[in-house]
Amino acid sequence: MKPLLDLDLLNTFAVVVEVGGFKEASSRLYRSQAAVSMQIKRLEEHLGHRLLERSNQGIRLTEPGKTLLGYIDRLLRLNNETLSALSLEPLRGQVHFGIPTDYAQTFLQQFLPRIRDAFPELVPRVTCGRSRRLREMANTGELDVAIVTSEPQFEPEQRLWSEALCWYASSSLSVTGEDTLPVALLESDCALRDMAATDLKQASLNYEAVLTSTDVDNLYAAVESGMAMALLPESSVISPKVRPVRLNQLPGQRQLTMNIITAGTLSSSFNEPLHECLLAAARATHERAAGRSG
């Protein structure tokens, strides 16, 4: 019989990889650095493989470590789902939601009243951040529910909403394929930044990043002022002076899809009503955005 995996050791390994070191993981796990190191050593001995290479520059995953990491999220999520399925407690107390920064302000205005009406004993806690960071937090159980950008490398997820995604520029900015294009880009690790970088690389266009920011609103401000062009979701465009860029080298209008993911920390009986609150808030948010841009 093959040995059973210790989920506590797996969780420690996942946290060490996520934060990039033993010292940082010890703070997250409320354990000493020596205890964290000992847990990783026990896991390596249990599996018969070295999982991490340690150096002055930090840690690096070995090939067995990469293989293990690919399974950990599913194992930990199944553990959470199992415990939740056996719990008969009503949904009360704190529930932690993750909302993408670029949608937080308008979305929360619609979502919070609905969740309070549906679950009066629930205490919502919200973390705003970039989609990929929220996905990591849901996988480790730090978030119960998160809204994330759909990306092809992940398993099918429940769709929340979609909207048009396009390159935009102000009517005052001359955009041709012959000149160096001024571009505004997100500076953090996110799907929208990757899509913009891929478009520009595949188009073989000369460009200069004249503005970088962690906030889509700042990209839009650069576009509206005539400073730069940028890849933006349609809901962020509110001025008639801003128009889609027409260049043969760049792709036309695409779809940006946002999905709901859960950590499995809540009973499955609550997933449907929670999702209904999220869907209703998403519909109201986009109806409001459509009215504002129209």
Side-chain angles (χ1 to χ4, degrees):
M1 179 178 178
K2 292 185 178 181
L4 298 176
L5 292 169
D6 186 323
L7 292 177
D8 188 42
L9 299 183
L10 294 179
N11 182 63
T12 296
F13 175 73
V15 172
V16 169
V17 173
E18 179 189 346
V19 300
F22 290 84
K23 181 178 179 181
E24 296 81 359
S26 67
S27 298
R28 175 80 67 85
L29 295 166
Y30 301 102
R31 295 189 175 107
S32 68
Q33 190 171 337
V36 171
S37 181
M38 181 58 67
Q39 283 197 306
I40 298 300
K41 182 179 179 181
R42 284 174 54 199
L43 183 61
E44 290 178 328
E45 291 174 349
H46 186 69
L47 295 174
H49 291 287
R50 191 167 184 82
L51 303 173
L52 297 170
E53 297 291 349
R54 305 154 177 87
S55 69
N56 293 333
Q57 286 72 43
I59 60 170
R60 183 178 63 83
L61 281 169
T62 64
E63 287 304 315
K66 292 177 182 177
T67 299
L68 176 63
L69 190 64
Y71 288 96
I72 283 180
D73 288 346
R74 279 180 282 170
L75 290 168
L76 294 178
R77 186 172 295 184
L78 184 59
N79 173 74
N80 293 335
E81 290 175 355
T82 301
L83 293 175
S84 297
L86 295 172
S87 174
L88 299 178
E89 290 294 317
L91 189 60
R92 60 163 62 99
Q94 293 189 10
V95 175
H96 203 160
F97 298 92
I99 309 293
T101 300
D102 301 320
Y103 293 101
Q105 184 174 1
T106 54
F107 187 81
L108 288 175
Q109 292 173 0
Q110 302 294 333
F111 175 62
L112 291 178
R114 286 174 168 80
I115 201 71
R116 287 176 179 140
D117 288 343
F119 300 98
E121 295 184 78
L122 182 148
V123 181
R125 293 291 179 262
V126 178
T127 292
C128 301
R130 300 246 66 91
S131 179
R132 288 176 180 170
R133 171 59 181 153
L134 299 179
R135 187 184 290 277
E136 291 174 1
M137 293 178 71
N139 286 338
T140 58
E142 295 172 79
L143 296 176
D144 299 301
V145 182
I147 299 173
V148 297
T149 304
S150 175
E151 298 190 63
Q153 66 267 36
F154 297 108
E155 296 178 1
E157 298 163 340
Q158 182 174 354
R159 177 183 170 277
L160 184 55
W161 78 78
S162 294
E163 63 172 302
L165 182 69
C166 189
W167 283 92
Y168 289 95
S170 168
S171 55
S172 64
L173 179 68
S174 176
V175 177
T176 70
E178 300 174 359
D179 301 322
T180 299
L181 299 172
V183 173
L185 296 170
L186 289 171
E187 66 181 17
S188 56
D189 176 31
C190 71
L192 193 60
R193 163 74 188 226
D194 288 353
M195 284 187 275
T198 298
D199 285 354
L200 293 167
K201 182 178 180 180
Q202 292 180 347
S204 299
L205 293 168
N206 294 321
Y207 71 93
E208 180 183 2
V210 297
L211 180 139
T212 57
S213 174
T214 58
D215 193 332
V216 166
D217 284 346
N218 292 335
L219 268 62
Y220 177 72
V223 170
E224 188 177 28
S225 69
M227 179 185 183
M229 54 182 273
L231 183 65
L232 297 170
E234 185 180 40
S235 62
S236 67
V237 178
I238 58 176
S239 171
K241 297 179 181 178
V242 174
R243 75 211 191 289
V245 172
R246 305 299 184 192
L247 284 177
N248 291 333
Q249 298 96 317
L250 291 174
Q253 189 180 90
R254 290 176 288 174
Q255 291 291 307
L256 177 68
T257 299
M258 307 303 294
N259 295 336
I260 307 171
I261 61 171
T262 59
T265 50
L266 304 175
S267 172
S268 58
S269 63
F270 295 115
N271 284 336
E272 184 174 348
L274 276 175
H275 289 185
E276 283 301 315
C277 288
L278 288 163
L279 288 165
R283 285 193 294 268
T285 298
H286 282 275
E287 286 171 3
R288 181 179 176 183
R292 183 183 59 181
S293 60

